[in-house]
Amino acid sequence: MGHFTFIYILCLLANSAISQSFKNNEIPTEDILESPLCCNLTAEHVELDYSSKIVENEYIVMFNGYYKNQARINYINTALNASGISNWKIIERENPASDYPSDFDVVILTDTDKLEGLNALNSHPAVKRVTAQRMVSRTLKFINPEYVRYGRKSLNSKNPFWQATGRHTSRRLLRAVPRQITTVLQADSLWNMGITGKGIKVAIFDTGLSKTHPHFRKIKERTNWTNEKTYDDGLGHGTFVAGVIASSKECLGFAPDSELHIFRVFTNNQVSYTSWFLDAFNYAILKKINVLNLSIGGPDFKDHPFVDKVWELTANRVIMVSAIGNDGPLYGTLNNPADQMDVIGVGGINFEDQIAKFSSRGMTTWELPQGYGRIKPDIVTYGSAVKGSHIKGGCRTLSGTSVASPVVAGAVTLLYSGVLHRGDVINPASMKQALMASARRLPGVNMFEQGHGKLNLMKAYQILNSYKPQASLSPSYVDLSECPYMWPYCTQPLYYGAQPVIVNVTVLNGLGVSGKVVGRPEWHPYAPQHGRLLDVAVSYSELLWPWSGWMAVHLSVASEGASYEGLAHGHVSVTIESPPGPGEQQPRRSTVNLPIRAKIIQTPPRHKRILWDQYHNLRYPPGYFPRDNLKIKNDPLDWNGDHIHTNFKDMYQNLRNTGYYVEVLGSPFTCFDASQYGTLLIVDPEEEYFPEEILKLKRDVDAGLSVIIFADWYVLRCL
Ligand SMILES: *[C@@H]1O[C@H](CO)[C@@H](O)[C@H](O)[C@H]1NC(C)=O
Ligand SMILES: *[C@@H]1O[C@H](CO)[C@@H](O)[C@H](O)[C@H]1NC(C)=O
Ligand SMILES: *[C@@H]1O[C@H](CO)[C@@H](O)[C@H](O)[C@H]1NC(C)=O
Ligand SMILES: *[C@@H]1O[C@H](CO)[C@@H](O)[C@H](O)[C@H]1NC(C)=O
Ligand SMILES: *[C@@H]1O[C@H](CO)[C@@H](O)[C@H](O)[C@H]1NC(C)=O
């Protein structure tokens, strides 16, 4: 039915500094392979690091709609003329998007006029938001854990790439190298059925690609968004990624007959700008897809014109695949946009099914400090010893978490081409649902490490082939007694009087791009299984857009359960509705259940109970908060929201192991009963304390509450 879809490979934006202004530091110069890719090793480990810098005096002015060039100039003129400043300029952008209406401009304001200028722009009714232009620098690091023999120094040798478990040495890992990723994932089975990527448009945002590279059958379009006079890849990265997805010779990619749209957004020096990306995104939407939608409302990510753009892309049926980042093994280190509900966030494993050490871990941290993060990554796949096209022809083998994402993107392209006949049924939500439902769970690995498990191409194909539009949940159940998968929920039972435990479930809606919750989610306790002893409160997004929403389940023990020890069961049901599909009369509806199983114990004695103050901690995305660990010099700013299940995981585990119970306070100090707790833990607070809180804390301490403060370099003014 001529329905084309772009699949964007944003994988390499994984660590995208566009969203991480705070990683604003100089590009590490060590360990960079500066000359053309020379290696002839069996396994090169490659990692992409991103950093971004604010561009002095350049601002991105986002409008609340798409306007022609002249209209935008008029808006800016009107705003700035009225403010009386004279030293400003709109930067002319010449690229393939210039002929179309746009939703932004880049304006230069001088230092002296900055404040007035920004105020004037912000108060113009057509302006949605003004943010700093950022320059993104990417560094490609080649790491080889064993060999140093090609004349380069041993790169990052102190950080073995894959998690060292003691069981496997990296030597064994390297022996696994000759395995071909498309074979391991059984892409051949789909090829044998004649499924080869045909009809799918893949956009690759990278360093470009040569028009005459022998591996590619269908380079449909190459566009230039940089300030360099070439469409070609001068570095090798864009070629490799394109190869994993679509090479048809030597080292085979997943979908050799897919249509490649090469967006050259990084220069040979691996530099890009926010505005290059925004233009390139707009071009893709305007040129190929008719539906346009602007998200208004939603959380205000001040630094993220990018988040809005990604929502807009998926709303236009663009399936977004993105690597979750290389900031593991620390938890809570996901990168945007992989942490978005509408994006497929991919983590990396090796061929022995171990999570890559550097693969970022969940949870998402937008929700902190008041709420609780969502489960991510969505799925994991091999990021080790993946073969792809060499810039000069031939093949090379790379490993690294940023390689796992093109693998999924290639797999998604291939899958999609196999179910094109299913038309509108296939969309960003159903694709994601199929990948998650088919994934194979890895033993001994928790959900914040592996999400739903390992990519299973054939099973995903079967699911998509018979898929019926529906809603689904991630995680699909909550079992507080299942370790280690349900970490951290399985580490501490519920008891009467505790702060509620929050499970923030992602709702995926395959019914349509927009949807709503019908009525309210309902709790159904199972009578013989003590369900009534649980108090279950549900908060949720009434509107689901694009393709997704959330439902947070707040679990606590009812007073009747105060002396119970054992399990309690029930489920929460929620009904989602979307407008009728083409030719349909009735709205689409889908009811999903979230089974819940909780372990209840009697309330521990006061001295065993510790309360962790989350309320005064960092918000995400944070401003410029210096790191607490002053030894980390290359990344002096802290962008991990503190939490016992993210960066304070080890402390939490140690306290649990020694018999303490740790609860999280997401509200002001005036909201808890201190007589229930032995200790209040105030760790690295960033927010101010209200006078009422200070007063209450004083009284609590007088009444026997201990307070432990970790504040290694902040002065806690109020205590
Ligand atoms: C790689 O190295 C081997 C032996 O060291 C050599 O025979 C081969 O030609 C090299 N390949 C390339 C592409 O340089
Ligand atoms: C703004 O000022 C410039 C120069 O002073 C003038 O050319 C332009 O017409 C003015 N635009 C508007 C919309 O007032
Ligand atoms: C890419 O765009 C830049 C900026 O408009 C231009 O200077 C350059 O010549 C273009 N390159 C090509 C190959 O068109
Ligand atoms: C467009 O966005 C609005 C929210 O701004 C949403 O209510 C609506 O459903 C969206 N429509 C489409 C087609 O994406
Ligand atoms: C759940 O996650 C959503 C999406 O990130 C967030 O908006 C919401 O506040 C969270 N809810 C809770 C209770 O944590």
Side-chain angles (χ1 to χ4, degrees):
M1 59 188 290
H3 173 85
F4 289 105
T5 306
F6 270 101
I7 297 176
Y8 274 89
I9 317 308
L10 210 64
C11 39
L12 307 170
L13 249 159
N15 241 337
S16 168
I18 288 180
S19 57
Q20 273 164 41
S21 48
F22 21 87
K23 288 191 135 180
N24 178 15
N25 45 62
E26 76 276 27
I27 310 150
T29 48
E30 266 187 5
D31 300 355
I32 303 171
L33 195 77
E34 64 274 56
S35 59
L37 306 170
C38 56
C39 300
N40 177 14
L41 298 171
T42 34
E44 290 171 77
H45 284 224
V46 60
E47 256 189 85
L48 285 169
D49 269 357
Y50 293 85
S51 63
S52 91
K53 258 210 291 266
I54 287 181
V55 180
E56 285 294 327
N57 302 336
E58 284 187 22
Y59 296 91
I60 303 220
V61 180
M62 295 294 308
F63 296 96
N64 57 16
Y66 284 78
Y67 300 100
K68 290 198 173 135
N69 199 28
Q70 193 54 50
R72 299 197 315 271
I73 292 174
N74 287 346
Y75 290 147
I76 291 173
N77 262 329
T78 309
L80 292 178
N81 276 15
S83 74
I85 65 169
S86 52
N87 263 332
W88 57 272
K89 201 176 132 220
I90 299 175
I91 295 186
E92 272 188 46
R93 313 196 303 284
E94 259 192 53
N95 58 43
S98 311
D99 298 338
Y100 299 89
S102 176
D103 59 347
F104 79 97
D105 267 311
V106 185
V107 173
I108 297 184
L109 293 171
T110 56
D111 264 340
T112 43
D113 289 341
K114 202 181 286 183
L115 266 184
E116 283 104 323
L118 290 179
N119 280 338
L121 286 169
N122 267 314
S123 51
H124 192 280
V127 171
K128 182 158 116 191
R129 174 181 302 153
V130 185
T131 52
Q133 164 90 305
R134 291 176 195 284
M135 185 186 85
V136 182
S137 306
R138 204 169 70 164
T139 45
L140 212 46
K141 288 201 277 185
F142 289 87
I143 299 167
N144 195 291
E146 290 221 12
Y147 302 116
V148 200
R149 58 183 152 108
Y150 281 79
R152 297 276 159 192
K153 61 188 152 170
S154 168
L155 303 173
N156 241 4
S157 51
K158 60 187 180 301
N159 288 329
F161 191 78
W162 304 104
Q163 200 159 32
T165 59
R167 278 190 302 134
H168 308 291
T169 64
S170 49
R171 193 172 290 282
R172 258 187 81 188
L173 197 150
L174 284 174
R175 263 194 257 126
V177 156
R179 299 171 78 174
Q180 166 70 37
I181 187 84
T182 49
T183 310
V184 176
L185 290 174
Q186 294 179 288
D188 333 39
S189 310
L190 289 171
W191 297 341
N192 291 339
M193 295 159 68
I195 299 169
T196 56
K198 205 158 181 232
I200 304 300
K201 302 181 178 191
V202 187
I204 297 174
F205 277 53
D206 212 289
T207 44
L209 177 64
S210 158
K211 199 178 171 180
T212 55
H213 196 288
H215 287 179
F216 301 98
R217 286 193 191 140
K218 284 193 196 160
I219 301 177
K220 181 75 178 180
E221 188 183 23
R222 297 188 303 156
T223 46
N224 157 43
W225 306 89
T226 69
N227 52 13
E228 290 180 340
K229 288 200 189 329
T230 179
Y231 297 108
D232 293 347
D233 180 8
L235 196 83
H237 200 268
T239 310
F240 180 84
V241 171
V244 172
I245 290 159
S247 167
S248 63
K249 289 206 181 75
E250 300 180 271
C251 34
L252 299 180
F254 284 86
D257 287 321
S258 60
E259 226 177 64
L260 290 181
H261 293 251
I262 306 298
F263 286 67
R264 191 169 191 276
V265 290
F266 278 100
T267 65
N268 282 334
N269 289 329
Q270 305 265 68
V271 169
S272 188
Y273 290 84
T274 317
S275 58
W276 294 359
F277 265 95
L278 294 178
D279 265 334
F281 281 148
N282 283 346
Y283 178 73
I285 295 174
L286 285 165
K287 193 75 192 289
K288 303 293 176 191
I289 299 160
N290 300 320
V291 191
L292 245 183
N293 201 54
L294 281 173
S295 58
I296 37 172
D300 183 14
F301 297 95
K302 288 199 186 71
D303 267 358
H304 294 219
F306 211 67
V307 172
D308 279 358
K309 200 45 86 184
V310 172
W311 279 332
E312 195 182 329
L313 284 158
T314 61
N316 283 285
R317 299 185 156 261
V318 176
I319 299 175
M320 303 285 285
V321 179
S322 185
I324 55 170
N326 291 327
D327 296 304
L330 206 62
Y331 280 55
T333 48
L334 293 162
N335 294 165
N336 186 264
D339 60 352
Q340 288 186 215
M341 298 189 281
D342 51 333
V343 174
I344 300 169
V346 182
I349 56 172
N350 65 15
F351 281 124
E352 298 183 344
D353 285 356
Q354 296 160 310
I355 303 290
K357 185 176 179 214
F358 287 160
S359 187
S360 289
R361 273 40 172 194
M363 57 182 151
T364 61
T365 50
W366 305 7
E367 298 79 4
L368 302 178
Q370 275 97 338
Y372 196 85
R374 286 167 291 110
I375 176 176
K376 280 272 175 175
D378 296 307
I379 56 165
V380 291
T381 195
Y382 303 108
S384 174
V386 176
K387 265 187 174 177
S389 305
H390 194 281
I391 188 171
K392 300 214 174 85
C395 300
R396 59 197 295 228
T397 303
L398 292 183
S399 296
T401 45
S402 50
V403 179
S405 177
V407 168
V408 169
V412 163
T413 308
L414 183 61
L415 284 170
Y416 204 154
S417 74
V419 291
L420 257 184
H421 61 280
R422 305 224 52 215
D424 278 357
V425 164
I426 310 301
N427 56 48
S430 58
M431 180 60 75
K432 191 169 167 176
Q433 289 174 322
L435 292 179
M436 297 194 320
S438 58
R440 265 240 318 281
R441 195 184 284 180
L442 304 175
V445 176
N446 76 47
M447 63 182 187
F448 286 163
E449 296 175 298
Q450 66 165 322
H452 291 257
K454 179 170 96 168
L455 173 69
N456 183 342
L457 194 58
M458 283 311 290
K459 185 125 181 267
Y461 172 69
Q462 285 153 13
I463 290 177
L464 282 174
N465 218 359
S466 57
Y467 177 85
K468 293 198 176 51
Q470 58 191 275
S472 69
L473 307 173
S474 168
S476 54
Y477 66 91
V478 177
D479 185 347
L480 274 66
S481 66
E482 184 190 350
C483 265
Y485 184 71
M486 281 276 159
W487 191 94
Y489 297 109
C490 64
T491 54
Q492 182 169 301
L494 302 181
Y495 45 84
Y496 177 66
Q499 301 291 325
V501 165
I502 305 174
V503 186
N504 200 345
V505 177
T506 302
V507 184
L508 283 167
N509 180 19
L511 305 174
V513 60
S514 64
K516 64 177 188 200
V517 173
V518 181
R520 297 166 156 274
E522 270 176 42
W523 165 236
H524 306 270
Y526 298 164
Q529 287 148 300
H530 308 283
R532 299 230 166 259
L533 303 182
L534 284 180
D535 255 344
V536 177
V538 181
S539 55
Y540 57 98
S541 49
E542 279 172 45
L543 293 176
L544 288 81
W545 187 90
W547 312 105
S548 54
W550 57 273
M551 178 174 82
V553 178
H554 307 242
L555 299 171
S556 40
V557 177
S559 54
E560 304 94 285
S563 56
Y564 175 74
E565 300 249 349
L567 296 171
H569 293 237
H571 73 258
V572 172
S573 65
V574 59
T575 300
I576 309 296
E577 182 180 293
S578 282
E584 294 171 1
Q585 304 300 315
Q586 297 298 318
R588 295 177 165 183
R589 274 198 181 194
S590 171
T591 299
V592 248
N593 293 337
L594 180 76
I596 292 175
R597 186 160 114 135
K599 193 171 164 206
I600 299 177
I601 58 166
Q602 283 180 31
T603 308
R606 178 182 185 186
H607 70 274
K608 286 285 184 200
R609 290 175 66 182
I610 296 176
L611 191 60
W612 161 277
D613 171 21
Q614 188 67 40
Y615 184 73
H616 299 91
N617 281 356
L618 270 188
R619 233 154 274 269
Y620 177 91
Y624 288 83
F625 287 97
R627 257 190 198 285
D628 307 311
N629 186 346
L630 297 176
K631 288 199 186 108
I632 303 180
K633 291 239 162 44
N634 67 339
D635 200 0
L637 298 169
D638 189 348
W639 57 280
N640 303 308
D642 295 331
H643 194 278
I644 53 171
H645 299 151
T646 60
N647 51 349
F648 281 89
K649 170 176 169 277
D650 290 348
M651 183 205 72
Y652 168 73
Q653 244 1 116
N654 277 321
L655 287 171
R656 284 295 300 130
N657 292 346
T658 39
Y660 290 98
Y661 293 82
V662 189
E663 299 168 34
V664 174
L665 179 71
S667 48
F669 283 177
T670 43
C671 304
F672 75 94
D673 175 3
S675 69
Q676 297 297 312
Y677 298 94
T679 305
L680 175 69
L681 256 181
I682 302 177
V683 176
D684 190 23
E686 318 278 358
E687 297 287 340
E688 259 184 83
Y689 291 77
F690 304 122
E692 295 81 3
E693 290 184 287
I694 296 167
L695 211 72
K696 168 160 189 289
L697 190 56
K698 238 182 166 145
R699 278 201 303 259
D700 289 345
V701 170
D702 289 344
L705 179 73
S706 302
V707 179
I708 297 176
I709 302 172
F710 297 13
D712 48 3
W713 82 320
Y714 261 40
V715 182
L716 211 61
R717 267 171 301 157
C718 52
L719 285 180

